Amino acid sequence: MDPEQQEHANNEEEMNVEGGIPPASLPQEEDGFDDEPEFIDMNDAVEVAVDDDDVPMDDDDDDDDDIIHESNEPGLESNDGGATVPSEPVIDMSQSKIESHTDAVYSVACHVENGKLVIISGGGDDKSYLHQIETTSTATPSSQLLPYNHTDTVSCVALNLAYVSEDLKKTPRLAATGSYDGSIILYDPDTAQQKLKLEGPSDIEWMAFHPKGGSVLLAGSGDGTVWMFHIPLNRCLQVFVGHEQAVTAGCFSPDGKWALSASADGTLRVWAPKTGMNKHVFRTGEAGLTCLANNGGSDGMLVIVGAEDGHAHVCHIGTKKVIATLRHFEVPPNAPTTTSENDDDEDEEVEMEYPMSVEAVGFFPAQPNWCATGGVDGKLKIWDLNNDGQCRQICAPSQDGNTSSDSITRLRWHPTLPLIFTTSISGKIRLWDARTARLLTTLTGHTDVINEADFFFHDNGSAVIVSGGDDKTVRVFEVDVNAILAQQSVGQPAT
């Protein structure tokens, strides 16, 4: 079946939100399928035979009025390309520096259990590593090269250790690596032994394990397809077809009943895992979507996506409504323009291009109607969905009174406190107070762009941060959040 036929078969619903938030009085189209979804029972699983001629695998398009709270932070300068780079030697504040990779590190994932930090990393050297660190000692990290020889960049990695049950036969412990060569390799995270190889997509952009047991894996591809595999059965359960461009982000809903995917085609799609049907399509505009986060709102059904045009869209996957469209990037007043010649040989003014893409989004777990957006403009914005999507705070580092555009690459809320960690292209990790926009601390160590970061929070609120960057290193930072807050309360300066 070609993509057009599949699109018709999926009987998708569409929501055009280009004009803003739709009024509640607008009639909603009836939804004729999967009103009470159930996730796949292992006994009901049906193997999907994948024919390369029936699934699109075209990879021809792949390409290698709030006050800004400024926090004075030394060491930021702009190079000729506009990126912020350290102006003086970088102080390494990391607890561990791992230098196994010989090229940029693009993906990391971590988990802490039984006094051991487990890390999996992948990079532009086409290699992936399993690292283990004893958290109760100062022992040197052990790093083991994973045996499969990828032929292209290892673009994403994932661990399911947070989801497994005591029945390891039904929910085995897994580490996964995905590559632009189209392969997904499953390993035992304790022994680094290869367990399984999955194939089908033309390349792998991201992966996510199912939150109920972690035995089902979702993977998005640059060819516009989303694949779902059942690991214990070694079967492809579904291939979701409908996106017209690369699938840039995705995950399962918190209850596991839906699969979510965001694409460079500007759509957020909701899929029924059991039937493979496209439950709903949110059409957010022409700008490509770059990132996605879920589990927002009191019912956990809000999803936020960031877009290349500087907007973020908050959607409710239950009611199929767009709750808010948040304008992260504002074109400066009296913005300069350039002159270009149109088809009639007349000069016309064209607005200059600005760094506006939203690259990171997330909901505050303890107050799920608060969300945050981070952009290439270097700003972190805090939004209150209870007040019509009002922007509560704008956080941005500054030097000599001028805001520095240190593009944000990732963000993560603290699970219980109104604090947000951000990573940036300058190699810095920052901790912000979302209530006051105050910069609480800055962690340094990386000497180049931080491409990916994963976080683990202990019960006492302290954080373990694992980051990978263009400087070819994986670094581990440990943050005593309570100590930082105590210093702030007595007027100590942020480090």
Side-chain angles (χ1 to χ4, degrees), residues 58-288:
D58 184 6
D59 58 356
D60 293 339
D61 296 331
D62 287 352
D63 297 317
D64 287 8
D65 287 46
D66 294 88
I67 298 175
I68 298 179
H69 294 258
E70 299 176 348
S71 301
N72 292 326
E73 185 179 57
L76 288 179
E77 286 185 353
S78 178
N79 62 18
D80 294 338
T84 54
V85 295
S87 60
E88 56 188 39
V90 175
I91 298 174
D92 189 358
M93 303 170 66
S94 64
Q95 272 63 45
S96 298
K97 179 176 72 172
I98 303 171
E99 299 178 287
S100 302
H101 289 277
T102 58
D103 203 338
V105 180
Y106 291 114
S107 52
V108 294
C110 72
H111 186 74
V112 177
E113 60 180 8
N114 301 323
K116 181 182 294 184
L117 171 62
V118 179
I119 303 170
I120 186 170
S121 63
D125 54 5
D126 307 346
K127 299 183 185 303
S128 55
Y129 288 86
L130 181 68
H131 316 279
Q132 296 186 352
I133 303 175
E134 296 290 339
T135 59
T136 56
S137 69
T138 57
T140 302
S142 66
S143 299
Q144 187 170 354
L145 175 65
L146 295 176
Y148 184 80
N149 293 320
H150 287 287
T151 59
D152 207 336
T153 295
V154 179
S155 53
C156 51
V157 296
L159 293 166
N160 76 341
L161 304 183
Y163 308 131
V164 298
S165 67
E166 295 181 358
D167 188 345
L168 296 181
K169 186 175 181 180
K170 290 184 177 179
T171 61
R173 294 164 60 86
L174 297 168
T177 65
S179 170
Y180 287 150
D181 64 14
S183 63
I184 299 173
I185 309 300
L186 280 304
Y187 295 95
D188 184 325
D190 301 311
T191 65
Q193 180 182 358
Q194 181 176 328
K195 298 172 69 73
L196 199 61
K197 179 181 179 181
L198 305 173
E199 294 180 296
S202 62
D203 62 358
I204 310 298
E205 298 286 335
W206 54 267
M207 299 182 297
F209 281 104
H210 193 273
K212 307 295 184 182
S215 60
V216 173
L217 182 68
L218 199 65
S221 175
D223 60 24
T225 58
V226 181
W227 297 64
M228 188 173 71
F229 299 94
H230 195 291
I231 307 305
L233 297 181
N234 188 15
R235 291 180 182 175
C236 174
L237 297 176
Q238 299 290 353
V239 179
F240 305 112
V241 180
H243 285 297
E244 298 174 357
Q245 296 184 47
V247 186
T248 53
C251 62
F252 288 101
S253 61
D255 59 8
K257 293 182 178 180
W258 307 109
L260 312 172
S261 59
S263 171
D265 65 11
T267 66
L268 166 66
R269 292 178 181 257
V270 184
W271 309 90
K274 189 171 184 178
T275 64
M277 299 186 74
N278 193 179
K279 180 70 172 177
H280 190 69
V281 183
F282 294 93
R283 297 193 180 275
T284 63
E286 296 181 359

Side-chain angles (χ1 to χ4, degrees), residues 456-476:
F456 183 90
F457 295 94
H458 293 285
D459 293 338
N460 64 3
S462 63
V464 175
I465 306 169
V466 177
S467 52
D470 278 357
D471 60 4
K472 308 176 186 178
T473 70
V474 175
R475 294 177 188 262
V476 179

